[in-house]
């Protein structure tokens, strides 16, 4: 297939996934900021949301103070944020239109339909009364796009590239949350069960839609190291780093098999996967959670680059 | 006159480029007033150079290079024997009827200003008189830039005319635009000129115009130097304008900034006695 | 009074329209409106849109589709098809001639300056051999009708004619939304157009290509007004939809960049104008094209469809010579008539045109899309005066034709079903194995009452065109 087509499919997925993630980040920040300081902490949740979204610097070029209004506007619809939710969906649709022939009719209609619906949200109400409905809608769009792709696309390179986009983006998102919030997960940071930490742990789980899963996996009350374990190592949890890498490796292997050739991206991804599969959360804590996450973010970006060089250019 | 030409073109890029494709019109042909004794193009990177002839009768080479590389030098080395024919070109390849050279191109669109100027300056004399009047009129009106850092002609004839200054390409374009607006077929010539005394003009690659005069044929007019072409001129390629005859056509992609340095040395080995006749 | 394709002057229904009339009498207006809305929704959801030139918003619009079909009898069609085939054969021979031996010019059939000074003529193409001597692989010939017996050619489109996706989309609408009416007719199928197009393209592959030539469709990209059509056709043919940056030339061979490395391309169905194809040969500033493409083409390593320089056969000036060209090159009488045309560059014609502007349609020789034209009878005094000045300043840029009373067809409009003016663009494919035309074509309809301008960019709509046995 054309490299540009693969590139568009890959980024189409990444942008839809990113929009979904941003919606969750905003959801979480809204929730935390509505709690008394004793529960939510004195830190600025809105600033933390920007860091989690990876766009604090871009924000600071436009605004001075992160507040509910400025951050929401910036993350939802700002023209000056190259990856606001609105921009993400627009870029996704732009990519879809560029590769219509590689999409199924269902997938195209899903994305185009979402884009048409997006025109129906008026920026003003969207930032106030309509915000919860809008964020729910964004999450629903990602489900629809994901589902239509899963249900209708041929299992060939087009599908594999679009899946790779999802998992690379998702791995980055989960790692970012861990990067921003890791200090809440360190075992001896503060008295266990304090209201503040509990709220933060729940928030982390919510951001990766795993608040319920946690209990099914561990059948225990919230323990920070188990939250970390769930997000990093548990393959059952679809947003964990391990699950993302299981999928990245599987999709890269299918490509290598179909094309009869392996390259740097396969080798790199497998190295990362091995690190996740053969690891225990105790070891990660011992060596330093923060270092582990930083390394992961760097390596995940390297896999993205390798895929780009090997297939998309 | 026997003229030696060494022409070096170096393209340097700020960052390594993966590949490159260019079209070269760097090879002169032999005709009555010009005999190519030897001619060679070398590229300092492994490259395939395939010679073809374009529809105007120019010899072209497509240069394809696989990178990555950051610098490339094309070196032309040759020797040409010329005769003074008072600018008249005879025995050259002429695949097109002369009326084709009345076509306007974006670079040679006269606009109202140039057309009026041409009417006014050319006067009423014979065709040759009118062309000479045009040659002098343009030379007087437009200053010639001899800045060493000469960029490829990018302004149109009309723009250069308004600015009242330009490089040799611009003056040639103005001449062509004027001639065509008067109904005289005209075309662009790219080549070399052996400049004897003038030290300020080191770069000998040159562009001028030809106009068609019934009874004589194509005649070279160099508005930058205000003369008809002489045996100091080596004709390399013909086009409707600079773009059609350009020594190098390349794509300037924004990814890597390109600098081009051109160094040309032209030396007269000996003044030819024009003892040989070369009929083609 | 314009010729109506459904009713005779006496108010009787013509045989081809009997079924449509019966259906129209039976169907409730609300139902028509509902179907129209459904059709629009289908287009909108499918992204069957076009962008309008000069619209800086880049807004995507849909071309209104009128659900009432336009019907031609198979007799009418076979006459028309013969004429189309003859005309396209002549256009191809004409191009082969002007880029080759120039007999047409030597014999004085066409004035030389019309070629040499024609901006659409490409000197670069002279002497270049194209596979099977075919220049125009895809032609769109605009046909109008003014009475029961004659079809007139209004315009030849030999560059990159568009609209075929609307022809096929319209048929899809008929089948899905008008099944009650459709089922009562024996309509000649057109769905095989993409297959025929692919066959045509493969048949003109360069000699060096292997038995399974690779075809790609080259688009300027998604900001182009016809992008939907490009992606639609690529999809239906199962070929890659490429942009300039997906292709590169190495050693005079064209490749596309794929996830498995470079892949050779043999035939390019290009929907990019000549000017933009190759910045090393044509417009220097083109970012849409492929550097070196022309060198690969000249070397005979890739086929471009249509060939470069086909515009020299379809401007409105050359148009007026086509009947003479047919007689000279084919030694046949033209089957299809030309609309009488005054050439403003000829002083006698210019005088007539300037005296009769209020009655004539004046068009730019190189204009298209209904831009830059004057419809005399509908123009104000000021518009006529302004246009007269433009024509006087540059007479060679214009031609004029009588204002034709284009035929009308029943069309669903706000006030119900009413007659509206139509034209027809059949698509003619020329390949190594002959000429093929799917029955019918794209019917364009001027939705505004009394309007004669059917261009989609000027408020025109489309209709499905049925060729039926009756």
């Amino acid at each position: 297939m054309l490299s540009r087509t693969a590139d568009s499919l890959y980024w189409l997925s990444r942008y839809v996934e990113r929009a979904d993630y941003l919606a969750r980040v905003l959801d979480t920040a809204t929730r935390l900021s509505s709690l008394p300081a004793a529960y939510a902490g004195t830190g600025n949740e809105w600033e933390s949301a920007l860091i989690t979204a990876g766009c604090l610097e871009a924000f600071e070029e436009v605004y001075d103070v992160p507040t509910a209004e400025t951050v929401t506007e910036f993350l939802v619809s700002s023209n000056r944020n190259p990856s606001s939710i609105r921009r993400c969906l627009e870029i996704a649709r732009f990519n879809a239109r560029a590769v219509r022939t590689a999409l199924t009719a269902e997938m195209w209609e899903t994305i185009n339909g979402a884009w048409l619906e997006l025109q129906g949200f008026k920026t003003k109400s969207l930032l106030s009364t309509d915000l919860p409905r809008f964020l729910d809608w964004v999450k629903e769009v990602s489900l629809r796009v994901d589902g239509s792709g899963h249900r209708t696309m041929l299992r060939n390179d087009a599908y594999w590239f679009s899946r790779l986009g999802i998992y690379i983006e998702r791995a980055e998102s989960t790692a970012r949350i861990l990067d921003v919030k890791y200090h809440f997960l360190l075992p001896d940071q503060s008295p266990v069960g304090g209201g503040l930490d509990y709220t933060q742990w729940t928030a982390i789980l919510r951001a990766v839609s795993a608040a319920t899963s946690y209990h099914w996996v561990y059948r225990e009350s919230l323990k920070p190291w188990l939250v970390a374990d769930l997000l990093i190592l548990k393959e059952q949890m679809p947003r964990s780093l391990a699950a993302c890498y299981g999928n990245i490796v599987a999709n890269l292997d299918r490509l290598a098999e179909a094309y009869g050739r392996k390259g740097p991206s396969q080798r790199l991804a497998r190295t990362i996967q091995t690190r996740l599969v053969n690891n225990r959360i105790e070891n990660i804590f011992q060596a330093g959670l923060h270092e582990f996450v930083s390394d992961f973010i760097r390596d995940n970006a390297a896999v993205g680059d390798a895929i780009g060089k090997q297939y998309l250019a | 006159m026997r003229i030696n030409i060494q022409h070096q073109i170096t393209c340097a890029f700020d960052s390594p480029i993966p590949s490159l494709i260019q079209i070269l019109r760097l090879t002169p042909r032999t005709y009555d007033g010009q005999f190519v004794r030897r001619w060679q193009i070398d590229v300092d990177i492994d490259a395939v150079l395939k010679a073809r002839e374009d529809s105007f009768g120019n010899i072209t080479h497509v240069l394809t290079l696989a990178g990555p590389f950051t610098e490339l030098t094309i070196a032309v080395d040759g020797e040409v024997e010329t005769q003074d024919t008072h600018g008249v070109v005879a025995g050259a390849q002429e695949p097109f009827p002369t009326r084709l050279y009345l076509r306007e191109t974006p670079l040679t669109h006269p606009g109202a200003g140039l057309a009026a100027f041409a009417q006014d300056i050319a006067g009423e004399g014979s065709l040759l008189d009118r062309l000479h009047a045009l040659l002098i009129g343009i030379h007087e009106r437009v200053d010639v830039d001899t800045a060493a850092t000469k960029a490829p002609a990018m302004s149109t004839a009309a723009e250069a005319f308004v600015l009242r200054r330009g490089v040799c390409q611009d003056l040639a374009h103005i001449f062509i635009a004027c001639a065509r607006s008067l109904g005289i077929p005209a075309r662009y010539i790219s080549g070399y000129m052996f400049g004897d005394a003038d030290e300020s003009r080191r770069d000998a690659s040159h562009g001028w115009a030809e106009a068609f005069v019934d009874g004589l044929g194509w005649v070279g007019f160099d508005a930058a130097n205000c003369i008809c072409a002489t045996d100091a001129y080596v004709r390399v390629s013909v086009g409707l304008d600079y773009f059609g005859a350009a020594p190098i056509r390349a794509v300037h992609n924004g990814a890597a900034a390109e600098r081009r340095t051109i160094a040309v040395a032209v030396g007269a080995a000996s003044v030819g006695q024009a003892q040989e006749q070369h009929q083609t | 009074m314009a010729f109506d394709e459904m009713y005779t002057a006496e108010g009787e229904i013509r045989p081809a329209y009997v079924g449509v009339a019966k259906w129209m009498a039976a169907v409730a207006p609300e139902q028509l409106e509902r179907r129209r809305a459904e059709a629009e929704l289908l287009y909108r959801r499918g992204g069957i849109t076009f962008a309008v030139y000069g619209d800086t918003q880049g807004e995507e619009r849909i071309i209104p589709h009128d659900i009432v079909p336009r019907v031609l009898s198979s007799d009418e069609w076979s006459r028309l098809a013969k004429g189309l085939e003859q005309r396209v054969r002549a256009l191809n021979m004409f191009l082969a001639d002007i880029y080759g031996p120039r007999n047409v010019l030597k014999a004085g059939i066409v004035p030389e300056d019309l070629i040499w000074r024609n901006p659409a003529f490409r000197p670069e193409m002279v002497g270049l051999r194209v596979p099977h001597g075919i220049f125009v692989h895809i032609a769109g010939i605009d046909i109008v009708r003014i009475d029961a017996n004659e079809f007139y050619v209004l315009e030849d489109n030999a560059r990159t004619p568009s609209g075929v996706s609307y022809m096929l989309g319209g048929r899809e609408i008929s089948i899905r939304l008008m099944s009650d009416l459709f089922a009562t007719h024996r309509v000649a199928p057109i769905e095989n157009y993409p297959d025929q197009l692919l066959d045509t393209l493969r048949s003109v592959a360069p000699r060096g290509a292997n038995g399974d030539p690779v075809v790609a469709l080259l688009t300027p990209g998604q900001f182009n007004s016809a992008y939907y059509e490009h992606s639609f056709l690529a999809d239906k043919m199962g070929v890659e939809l490429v942009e300039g940056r997906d292709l590169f030339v190495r050693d005079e061979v064209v490749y596309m960049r794929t996830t498995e490395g470079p892949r050779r391309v043999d035939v390019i169905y290009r929907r990019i104008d000549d000017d933009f194809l190759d910045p090393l040969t044509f417009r220097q500033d083109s970012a849409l094209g492929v550097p070196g493409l022309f060198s690969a083409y000249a070397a005979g390593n890739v086929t471009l469809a249509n060939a470069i320089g086909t515009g020299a056969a379809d401007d409105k000036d050359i148009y007026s010579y086509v009947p003479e060209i047919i007689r000279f090159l084919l030694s046949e009488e033209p089957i299809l008539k030309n609309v009488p045309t005054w050439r403003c560059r000829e002083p006698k014609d210019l005088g007539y045109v300037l005296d009769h502007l209020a009655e004539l349609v004046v068009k730019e020789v190189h204009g298209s899309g209904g831009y830059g034209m004057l419809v005399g009878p509908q123009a104000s005094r000021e518009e006529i005066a302004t246009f007269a000045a433009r024509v006087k300043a540059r007479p060679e840029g214009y031609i004029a034709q009588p204002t034709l009373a284009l035929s009308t067809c029943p069309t669903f409009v706000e006030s119900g079903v009413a007659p509206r003016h139509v034209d027809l663009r059949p698509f003619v494919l020329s390949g190594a194995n002959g000429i093929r035309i799917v029955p019918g074509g794209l019917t364009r309809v001027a939705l505004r009452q009394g309007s004669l301008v059917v261009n989609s960019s000027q408020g025109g709509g489309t209709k499905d065109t049925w060729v039926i046995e009756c």
Side-chain angles (χ1 to χ4, degrees), chain C residues 293-357:
Chain C
L293 179 60
F294 186 79
S295 67
Y297 185 52
N301 292 334
V302 68
T303 301
L304 297 177
N306 291 344
I308 294 172
T310 51
D314 78 353
D315 72 53
K316 296 179 180 71
D317 231 334
I318 293 293
Y319 161 88
S320 63
Y321 294 93
V322 173
E324 282 309 310
I325 291 170
I326 292 175
R327 288 185 194 101
F328 179 75
L329 289 176
L330 267 52
S331 309
E332 292 172 15
E333 262 312 294
I335 300 169
L336 297 175
K337 285 196 175 168
N338 251 22
V339 178
T341 302
W342 288 273
R343 304 162 183 145
C344 297
R345 83 193 133 69
E346 293 177 9
K348 185 167 58 73
D349 283 14
L350 177 64
Y352 179 88
V353 170
L354 291 174
D355 287 346
H356 297 82
L357 277 178

Side-chain angles (χ1 to χ4, degrees), chain A residues 1 4 93-94 97 100 259, chain C residues 46 60 222 227 246 259:
Chain A
M1 90 191 301
R4 181 174 53 82
R93 195 265 185 173
F94 181 88
R97 196 161 181 261
R100 278 186 63 153
Y259 294 162
Chain C
E60 293 165 20
Q222 57 168 304
Y227 179 73
D246 296 323
T259 51

Side-chain angles (χ1 to χ4, degrees), chain A residues 147-161:
Chain A
S148 64
H150 183 74
R151 290 183 71 119
T152 62
M153 282 180 83
L154 278 176
R155 290 329 192 235
N156 59 11
D157 44 0
Y159 182 74
W160 301 324
F161 281 115

